[in-house]
Every structure is written in C-alpha cells, then in structure tokens.
Amino acid sequence: MKVLNRLTIKHLLMNKKRTIVTIIGITLSMALMLGCGLLASSFIEEMKAEEIFSNGGHHMEFDTLSLHDAKTIQANINVERSYFTTSFGFAEFSDSTNVSKPYYFISSANQDMLETFQLVDGRLPLNDQEIIISEHIGYNGGKEYHLGDILDLNIGPRVIEGEEFYRNEAFFPEVSESINVKMHKTYKVVGIIRRPYTENYSAGGYSIFTKATEVSAEYPNHLYVQFYKPKDSFEIGAEIIKDLSLDDHDIQYNSGLLYYYGTTRYRNINQSILRILSIALTLLSVGCIIVIYNSFAISTMERKKQFGLYSSIGATRKQILHTVFFEAFIVGTIGIILGILGSFLGIYIVLQILNYLLQDIWTYEFSLVINWLYILVPIGFMILVVFFSALIPARRSSRITPIVAIRENDDIKMPKRKLKTPKFITKFFGIEGELALKNMKRNKKKYRITILSLFISIVLFISFSAYLTYGISSMDSIDYFDYDISIGTMSSDVSSLKEVQKDSRVRENYLYFSTSYQLQIPFDSYTKEYSDYRRNYNEIGSVIDQNNFNLIVLEDEAFQDYANRIHASFDDIILFNEGQFVVYGDDNRISYHQQLIQNNDTYFQLCTLSEVCFDKPFSVVYTNEYLPTFRHIGYQNVLTGFISMSRYQSLVDVLLDYDYTPYYTLQLNANDYESLYHELQDKFKNNNSYVGSPKQELKEQKNQILAIKLLLYGFISLVTLIGVTSVFNTIHTSINLRRKEFAMLRSMGLAPTGFNKMILFESLFFGLKSLFYGLPVSAIIILFIHNSMSAFSKGEGILIPWGAVMFAIGGVFFVVLVAMGYSVNKIRKENILDCIRDENI
C-alpha cells in the first residue's frame, strides 16, 4: 500500500495543474455551501435583533385581559416567559403641540416588560410612584421633560359616544370625546426611553410607564408571551384562544419575528419559502456533486492505464480502490480545509461591507454567527460527495481487465454498422469535421463528461440569475414614489404652498387635498380577487359594498391636462383602476397587483362617511395611466379618484351638513432638491405642517438594496467560477488524454488549418449540445421559481433573465474555445514522435 500511496502522490505532483484545478473545485464548492450557512445564520440573527428592537421580543400579545385569563395564560406549560402592562387610561396633555396627540397614556408594567424598553437616560422605575417617559414627547409633542420632573395627572378612560376606551387608539378632532377621571396620581420622572414599540404611530396618547408587581383585577391587562418553541406559536396561540374563548379580544402575533424563526400562519407562504429554498439548495448540491464527480471521473480516466499496469504486476481490486480513495482523501482534505477557511474569511469580509453600507439604516451591526448545524451539515455533505465521486469511477475502473486498461480501448465503442454523419457536416467542416464527429460517437464517455460540465454551468448560471431578477424586481418596487418633496399643511397656510410653486428650482408640481367618501359598488363590478379582498376585509356577504373612496381634488388646470391626456371630461371623476392588495383565506396569504374593477360601469353613487349621499350618480372614467408624482397610488389597496377643485366645490355645496377642513399637499420635483428640501424644512416648522422627501429616504434604502445586490452578484459569480473551473478542468484533461490521437493525425498529414477546423467543430458541438439541454432545463427551473413566488405576488408575468441567457450562450462558446485553445496550443508545440510513444504514467 505504501508504494501505491507514494505513486499516487507522485502522480498528483506530476499533474500539478489538474490537481490544483480539482482542489480549487472542491474549495469553491465547500466555500459556497458553508458560506451560505454562515451568511444565513448571521443574517437571521441580525434580523431577529432588528425585529426585537422595533417590535419587541414576544411571540404573541393579548389585549384587555381579565385577571383570571392573564393568570391562566402565564401558567400555560408552553409559555417560557410573560410580561404585561396594565392600562390606567389617559390624562390630558394640554401643552401638546401635536393636534393628533392631546393625551398621555398611562400604564404600569412589570420588571420584565420594563427591561424590554430602550433607556436613553436615567433608570427604570422601582415603584408605582416613579415613571419613565418616551423621548417622543419632546421631539413630537413639543414638551421637554427632565429627570426629577413631577407630573400631576388626572387619569381615566376616554369616553366616546358614551363608551369607555382604555386602548391607545387614534384621536379624531372632529369626534367629541372626554376623559372620565377615576384617579389622581403624582409621578416622578426617573427615566427617558426611546419611543416604545407598544405605541402605535396613530395612537392618540404618549406612553408613560410605572412599576407593577402583578396583573390587575380592576383594570384591563395587556399580556406579552414568549413560547419555548417559537415555531409552534400559531398552533399554541390557537389552542389558548379556543380554551379561554378569546375570539373577541385583540390578539396579535409578532409575525415579523416569528418569520425569522421559520414560521408564518399562512400555509402557502411556508410552502413557497420551502420550495424556493429547496430549488436553490438542490441546484447548489447537484452543481457541487457534478463538479467534483467530473474531476474524479476525468482523473480516473487519465490513470486507467496506470491501474492496468498495477493489476498486471499483482495489485488487487481492493488496492486499486484504495489508491483512488487515497487521492480523494488528499485533494478532498486540502480542498475542504481551504474551503472552510475561505468561507469564514469571505463571509467576514462580506459582513463588514454590509455594516459599512447599512450603518445608517440598521440599529445593530452584522456579526459572524456560528450555528454548528449550518457548519457540520455542509462539511458532512462535502465529505460524502468526495467519497461517492471517487467511489463510482474507481469501482468502474477496478472491474476492467489489465490488458483492456493498458490498451485504453474500453471507452471506444465500435458499432456493428458503419457510423453515418450528416452531409452538411462534411460540407461545412470537411473531412476533419466528419472525423471529429465519428470519434465523439465512438468515445461517448469522455464527451459526456464535458457536455455535463457545460450543462450544469449553464443551468446554475441562468437559474441563480433568475433568483437575482426576481429579487431585484421585488426591491425595485420599493421605489414607487416619483416625486422629490412633499409638503402638507392646513388650508390656512395654502398661500405658502403657492409661493413654493413659483420657486425657479421646481420643475413640476401638483397641489391638491384629499378626502374620503364611500362608493356604493356591486361586488360583481370588482375583479374576482379584489372582490374576495373586500368581502374578507368587510366580513359581509351583501351584493353592494360601501367602499371607502379616496378622492384627490386637483387644481383646475392640472386636472384639465390630466383629463385631456386620457380623453376624459372636466366634469368626470377619473378613477385610477389599479392597486396592490392582499387576500387572506384558508391559511393562505396572496399578494396581488392588478386592476380593481372589471366592469366598465360609467356611474357610481357617492356618499360621505356620515352616509349623506349625492342625488345623482357620478360619471366615472377609468385609467391606469399615472399622473406624474402620483405613482404611489398604484400600490394602495383602496380606490382613488381625481376631480377638479371647482367641480368639487360646486358638488359639496349641496351637502349642507358636510363640514370638512382640507389639509393641502404639494408634491414636486425640483432641481437641486436637497437644498430646497432643507429650506422648506426650516420654512414649515410648525407641527401642523409636514415636509418629507421620499427621494432622500430612498438614498438610504439604496444602500440596503445595493448590499443585497452585491450579495446576489457575488453568489452568482462564485457559482459561475465553480462551473468554469469544472469545464476548464474537464476539457483540458480530455484534450491531454488525446495527445497521442492528435499526434497520429498530424503524422498522417493533417494540416494546421484542418486541425483548427477539427477543434472548432468540437467546440461548436460542445457548446450547441450543452445549450440544447441546458436552456430548456433552465426554463423549467425558472417556471418553478416563478410558481414558488406566487404566495408573494400574483398578476406578475414570468421574469426571464434575458441578459443572463445571452451571456450564457456567448460564455459557453468563449469558455470552450479558450479551454480547448489553451490545451491544443500546448499539444501543437510538442514533438509528434514523443507524443506517440508517450506512456503517460
């Protein structure tokens, strides 16, 4: 055995290039498989941390619970940890400069709950006389508090139309409400926290928390729970709801966090994610298997004569197998170790790049997270791949008799009938092409390995490019705002907006206000999908839907231009008939982006939210053509219409009980928008005004999109490099094995031009045949990918990465020609006689 081992090592050293290429193939495959695991574990942990920071670390929350129900849930065997708040109600915040938030919202919380908040200054309360307040009160409510300040508050529930509310819901100035004071409390401010995740952005009160020791029997409790098994949260939650009859309570799952534990409540999303991962992992696994198998198959083919000589001097079949496994052990060990080191180094560098690009977007930095399952599985997989890749060709070679192996004629099959070749081959490529084709037909095994390498490279490149195409498509949908700056203000300040319109830097602008009405629409006027959405949303089964309708009131001139463009009348309502919505049902969640109304009904009844209706139906003109700066309305789930300002004014005058103070908005695109944006922020400082810049916000999101694109492009580059390495190794070794054959053809008078023609024909044959198999298989995989994405979006066509397809077609011929040219060029320079008598041992 030692002699055979030394000969194996000598063979590897004498064939350094092939050995190095084989090691590179194993290294890249190992680095790719392990890198995916390291990146996945690091990404999941980072996203969990972000979700916990933004929405809390609980898995489920229950609102307005009684003492009995709260205690029962806390005692549930599946609950690992629970924390709670008890709502005491509201207190007036008379100093608030935010008209939408005129209250404090006071709650007590246990220690575990208090520890989930992010302290900015001070400490957590130690008793029910101390409080922590949100810094949001300062920058949004206009009231600065400091540590040690005292608050005297009259606290109680909000009373709206005779009903008491303890929940922190939105405040509507037009609705009469009051506070039913039930207690007076004096608190000392001991800590300031970041805006708590428990406070909704539409909430009417700023959150204040004091210390509690146990759930309350007098006031409603809000309970947050964590389960021992997060993946079973939806099943456990359903059992709790059923056992305690909590169907009428406000119950929510922390879906964002649970998603990163690998579970959602919607079966089709789980199935889609599983299919997407299965397709990607299958492609990776098959690619790695074929790359490594081809390396050992071509190596075994190259050493076949050696094995025949070993057998002729007494080497047993077992010793031949041992020789191949010893070679696999050497190159496999080196390749796997280098792959492990390379994956750790590569992923560490990738994470540092992500941290640099996303430092202004995400709260936490990426860190390299080691999940042993994601490490051991790829390593075990690669060991098995190397083992079986060596076993199959080794067993095949060990069965061949010594004389056949020495003569190397077992791969060449001589058919009983004469081989025929198409006439056009001889016509275009001459006798050289015919000779090459007959040689390939007789020696199919060698050519199949080359075709297989090219085939898998094409499929991997196009398939993962399809993943990239779908990923970029979903990321591009983030950029659905087509205006630079938006300014909103009360009607009393509309003159300031008109001044902005006259600024020389403003290229285009639209001044408008929007208001809500109801459209009385038959359900059969909707598309089937939107009808399902509306019925699900309203939980009604009637044939008429009272659909909230967003009516945008444009300046007359702007509306007239829009109407002329789509051939509508000045008196019409222009209805934008496209939207994005989600349909829930049968444990499924499907997102649609399509038209909302299918029938061209030209008139609809329009009513106010207080159910005061216009006498005459409105004439409606449909369109899916965007008005500039209004592209975002195509991503809403409500019907949106446009009307001229003068037409609107003449209509609302007939509604005597309709009282509405418009909030005007100016959307604009401008040259040097950044300087204008900062100027407008200074100009509209009061809290009744708003200045925003989606373009400015998008600049930050672009870094996130860029980071994801870099990951995807890097992934595809690595996959492509693995394929190219395999192809180059296969072709180079295959050509090297034919040195004697080429030397004999040259000795018989094959001219250099004929030799080049023969190589060109083989290159074209390899390229065309691999594309003949690779392109249809890639198309099928793209179809699978498209169907797997159906849970996330409907109504979108199949996205074919045409650029990748064209690149693959050109790349195949380029790689084949380069690999064959490089190998043949070396052979062409060799002495014919030396090549013929070379024994290649």
Side-chain angles (χ1 to χ4, degrees):
M1 286 291 188
K2 291 183 179 180
V3 174
L4 292 176
N5 290 345
R6 285 200 298 269
L7 288 173
T8 299
I9 294 173
K10 185 176 181 181
H11 168 78
L12 293 174
L13 293 174
M14 290 180 64
N15 294 270
K16 291 180 181 178
K17 289 184 180 179
R18 190 194 60 77
T19 303
I20 291 173
V21 173
T22 302
I23 291 174
I24 289 175
I26 297 173
T27 299
L28 292 175
S29 300
M30 182 73 253
L32 183 62
M33 298 294 289
L34 181 56
C36 288
L38 290 173
L39 189 60
S41 59
S42 300
F43 178 78
I44 289 172
E45 290 303 316
E46 162 63 17
M47 297 312 296
K48 283 181 182 177
E50 290 288 334
E51 282 292 331
I52 291 171
F53 178 82
S54 301
N55 301 307
H58 60 278
H59 303 147
M60 191 175 182
E61 59 181 287
F62 303 83
D63 197 11
T64 60
L65 287 177
S66 65
L67 174 64
H68 172 267
D69 289 341
K71 292 284 188 182
T72 302
I73 294 172
Q74 287 179 316
N76 189 289
I77 193 172
N78 296 298
V79 174
E80 178 183 20
R81 182 186 179 200
S82 66
Y83 34 98
F84 66 88
T85 62
T86 300
S87 172
F88 297 143
F90 299 82
E92 289 189 1
F93 182 13
S94 56
D95 296 331
S96 176
T97 57
N98 187 341
V99 295
S100 299
K101 283 200 167 190
Y103 301 123
Y104 298 108
F105 179 62
I106 301 92
S107 303
S108 65
N110 68 336
Q111 185 66 27
D112 286 343
M113 183 69 191
L114 293 173
E115 290 176 355
T116 65
F117 300 130
Q118 305 288 326
L119 266 175
V120 176
D121 194 12
R123 59 174 174 83
L124 297 176
L126 301 177
N127 52 59
D128 61 0
Q129 305 299 315
E130 299 177 339
I131 58 170
I132 52 175
I133 65 173
S134 168
E135 63 176 354
H136 188 52
I137 296 177
Y139 65 76
N140 185 265
K143 177 73 172 179
E144 290 288 343
Y145 284 100
H146 303 89
L147 300 181
D149 286 350
I150 303 297
L151 273 73
D152 288 311
L153 303 176
N154 294 314
I155 305 169
R158 290 163 63 184
V159 181
I160 306 173
E161 297 181 354
E163 186 177 355
E164 292 186 346
F165 290 89
Y166 282 91
R167 295 174 59 183
N168 196 5
E169 297 179 337
F171 174 75
F172 299 100
E174 64 271 15
V175 178
S176 177
E177 64 176 80
S178 61
I179 294 178
N180 182 15
V181 177
K182 293 189 176 181
M183 69 168 74
H184 176 81
K185 296 287 290 187
T186 300
Y187 295 110
K188 178 182 179 180
V189 178
V190 297
I192 298 175
I193 60 173
R194 297 185 187 275
R195 179 186 179 124
Y197 60 86
T198 58
E199 183 182 306
N200 192 288
Y201 279 92
S202 63
Y206 295 96
S207 298
I208 291 176
F209 295 95
T210 185
K211 177 70 177 291
T213 54
E214 60 182 13
V215 293
S216 171
E218 182 180 358
Y219 294 96
N221 301 288
H222 197 112
L223 189 66
Y224 301 82
V225 297
Q226 291 179 339
F227 299 113
Y228 285 105
K229 297 180 179 179
K231 289 187 177 181
D232 298 334
S233 295
F234 295 108
E235 291 77 8
I236 298 170
E239 291 179 5
I240 293 174
I241 293 170
K242 181 180 179 181
D243 293 342
L244 298 179
S245 301
L246 299 177
D247 293 327
D248 59 337
H249 286 62
D250 184 12
I251 297 166
Q252 294 182 6
Y253 295 92
N254 195 352
S255 301
L257 180 61
L258 292 176
Y259 177 80
Y260 293 106
Y261 279 105
T263 182
T264 72
R265 67 186 305 174
Y266 304 110
R267 185 175 61 249
N268 67 325
I269 289 184
N270 289 329
Q271 292 173 347
S272 291
I273 293 173
L274 182 61
R275 283 197 294 265
I276 291 169
L277 292 177
S278 298
I279 293 171
L281 291 176
T282 300
L283 287 171
L284 279 179
S285 301
V286 171
C288 292
I289 290 170
I290 291 178
V291 166
I292 296 172
Y293 172 79
N294 282 355
S295 297
F296 284 104
I298 205 75
S299 172
T300 307
M301 192 179 298
E302 186 180 13
R303 298 184 65 192
K304 194 174 294 182
K305 178 177 280 191
Q306 288 184 12
F307 296 152
L309 290 172
Y310 294 164
S311 299
S312 68
I313 58 175
T316 64
R317 179 180 175 185
K318 183 178 179 181
Q319 289 174 322
I320 299 296
L321 288 171
H322 171 82
T323 300
V324 178
F325 284 130
F326 184 69
E327 177 183 343
F329 173 78
I330 293 174
V331 296
T333 301
I334 296 173
I336 290 174
I337 292 175
L338 291 178
I340 294 172
L341 296 176
S343 63
F344 274 93
L345 178 61
I347 297 302
Y348 176 79
I349 294 173
V350 167
L351 295 180
Q352 297 309 306
I353 294 173
L354 289 177
N355 288 333
Y356 174 76
L357 292 174
L358 306 177
Q359 58 184 333
D360 297 327
I361 300 176
W362 287 355
T363 308
Y364 299 97
E365 288 188 348
F366 280 102
S367 58
L368 187 60
V369 176
I370 297 176
N371 185 321
W372 287 107
L373 178 66
Y374 292 160
I375 294 177
L376 295 178
V377 170
I379 292 176
F381 173 78
M382 289 303 300
I383 291 173
L384 289 175
V385 169
V386 171
F387 174 79
F388 285 104
S389 296
L391 175 65
I392 295 172
R395 292 183 63 182
R396 187 181 298 126
S397 297
S398 64
R399 294 194 186 105
I400 303 172
T401 61
I403 189 63
V404 172
I406 293 172
R407 292 173 61 186
E408 293 183 310
N409 62 354
D410 64 307
D411 289 331
I412 300 176
K413 304 298 181 183
M414 300 298 294
K416 296 178 180 179
R417 292 182 297 176
K418 181 181 178 182
L419 283 175
K420 295 182 179 181
T421 57
K423 292 182 179 180
F424 70 89
I425 297 294
T426 307
K427 181 177 180 181
F428 288 103
F429 294 94
I431 190 64
E432 297 86 359
E434 183 179 357
L435 183 63
L437 182 58
K438 287 184 176 181
N439 184 56
M440 285 186 281
K441 286 185 175 183
R442 294 189 180 101
N443 195 4
K444 291 181 178 179
K445 287 185 180 180
K446 291 180 181 178
Y447 293 99
R448 281 174 183 167
I449 294 175
T450 305
I451 297 295
L452 188 61
S453 296
L454 287 166
F455 164 78
I456 197 63
S457 300
I458 292 168
V459 172
L460 287 176
F461 180 76
I462 295 179
S463 299
F464 283 105
S465 295
Y467 273 111
L468 176 63
T469 301
Y470 277 93
I472 291 177
S473 175
S474 62
M475 288 185 286
D476 287 344
S477 66
I478 296 173
D479 185 14
Y480 52 73
F481 291 100
D482 59 340
Y483 59 86
D484 297 338
I485 302 172
S486 175
I487 314 162
T489 188
M490 302 300 291
S491 58
S492 56
D493 295 329
V494 71
S495 58
S496 300
L497 298 181
K498 291 186 177 295
E499 290 179 10
V500 176
Q501 286 181 295
K502 299 175 183 178
D503 192 292
S504 60
R505 289 167 290 183
V506 176
R507 297 195 311 271
E508 59 182 350
N509 68 89
Y510 288 89
L511 178 64
Y512 69 94
F513 65 85
S514 63
T515 180
S516 294
Y517 285 91
Q518 285 186 345
L519 284 180
Q520 296 182 356
I521 303 179
F523 271 100
D524 60 6
S525 293
Y526 295 134
T527 59
K528 179 185 181 304
E529 294 79 11
Y530 192 59
S531 175
D532 292 341
Y533 164 75
R534 292 298 305 167
R535 290 183 187 276
N536 178 279
Y537 179 77
N538 290 327
E539 297 181 351
I540 59 177
S542 63
V543 295
I544 299 295
D545 181 29
Q546 301 284 353
N547 193 329
N548 285 350
F549 177 67
N550 185 34
L551 188 61
I552 295 176
V553 183
L554 287 172
E555 292 182 296
D556 289 353
E557 184 178 352
F559 180 85
Q560 185 65 67
D561 290 342
Y562 191 24
N564 292 341
R565 189 183 312 165
I566 64 170
H567 307 292
S569 167
F570 186 78
D571 293 333
D572 291 329
I573 288 181
I574 300 174
L575 192 150
F576 188 80
N577 190 22
E578 186 178 296
Q580 184 167 300
F581 54 94
V582 178
V583 176
Y584 300 91
D586 298 327
D587 296 326
N588 288 337
R589 175 190 181 278
I590 303 176
S591 176
Y592 293 91
H593 191 183
Q594 63 179 45
Q595 70 179 41
L596 309 180
I597 298 179
Q598 62 178 349
N599 297 337
N600 289 326
D601 298 326
T602 54
Y603 293 94
F604 284 130
Q605 186 70 31
L606 193 64
C607 305
T608 67
L609 298 181
S610 57
E611 299 183 355
V612 178
C613 300
F614 291 94
D615 293 334
K616 295 181 179 180
F618 279 81
S619 174
V620 176
V621 175
Y622 297 91
T623 186
N624 58 0
E625 182 178 340
Y626 292 107
L627 184 66
T629 77
F630 282 93
R631 189 170 69 188
H632 58 281
I633 65 174
Y635 295 87
Q636 299 173 350
N637 59 5
V638 297
L639 291 167
T640 301
F642 295 85
I643 193 172
S644 66
M645 206 164 285
S646 59
R647 168 72 167 152
Y648 174 79
Q649 190 61 46
S650 67
L651 292 171
V652 297
D653 285 344
V654 303
L655 301 177
L656 300 179
D657 68 337
Y658 186 73
D659 183 17
Y660 176 73
T661 302
Y663 189 86
Y664 279 86
T665 300
L666 176 65
Q667 291 173 181
L668 58 89
N669 288 313
N671 300 318
D672 192 19
Y673 81 94
E674 290 182 330
S675 63
L676 178 60
Y677 172 58
H678 294 304
E679 290 176 17
L680 293 174
Q681 281 185 312
D682 294 334
K683 184 175 183 178
F684 295 89
K685 282 184 177 179
N686 66 79
N687 281 303
N688 291 329
S689 298
Y690 163 81
V691 179
S693 175
K695 193 168 185 178
Q696 188 74 14
E697 296 170 2
L698 187 63
K699 285 180 66 176
E700 298 177 354
Q701 293 180 346
K702 288 290 187 183
N703 280 340
Q704 187 173 358
I705 295 172
L706 174 62
I708 297 174
K709 286 183 178 180
L710 286 176
L711 282 177
L712 292 174
Y713 280 121
F715 186 77
I716 290 177
S717 299
L718 190 56
V719 169
T720 305
L721 184 59
I722 291 174
V724 170
T725 302
S726 174
V727 171
F728 191 88
N729 182 28
T730 304
I731 292 178
H732 176 68
T733 308
S734 178
I735 294 294
N736 221 29
L737 289 172
R738 298 171 61 194
R739 291 166 63 239
K740 184 180 293 187
E741 172 194 334
F742 290 142
M744 291 179 66
L745 289 172
R746 289 162 61 198
S747 68
M748 296 170 61
L750 183 65
T753 54
F755 187 72
N756 292 336
K757 191 182 293 185
M758 184 177 177
I759 296 302
L760 177 62
F761 173 80
E762 292 192 20
S763 301
L764 291 174
F765 179 85
F766 288 147
L768 291 173
K769 194 160 187 177
S770 60
L771 289 171
F772 178 79
Y773 294 117
L775 292 180
V777 171
S778 299
I780 293 172
I781 293 174
I782 291 173
L783 184 60
F784 283 145
I785 294 172
H786 174 77
N787 291 335
S788 299
M789 301 292 290
S790 61
F792 303 100
S793 180
K794 281 285 188 181
E796 302 287 348
I798 298 177
L799 301 178
I800 300 176
W802 290 112
V805 172
M806 300 307 296
F807 185 84
I809 293 173
V812 163
F813 292 109
F814 175 78
V815 171
V816 171
L817 287 171
V818 169
M820 294 194 75
Y822 170 78
S823 303
V824 169
N825 189 52
K826 293 185 64 178
I827 293 174
R828 190 182 288 117
K829 296 177 181 178
E830 293 180 342
N831 184 275
I832 295 176
L833 186 59
D834 290 339
C835 288
I836 292 175
R837 66 186 181 187
D838 183 25
E839 293 300 323
N840 190 32
I841 297 177

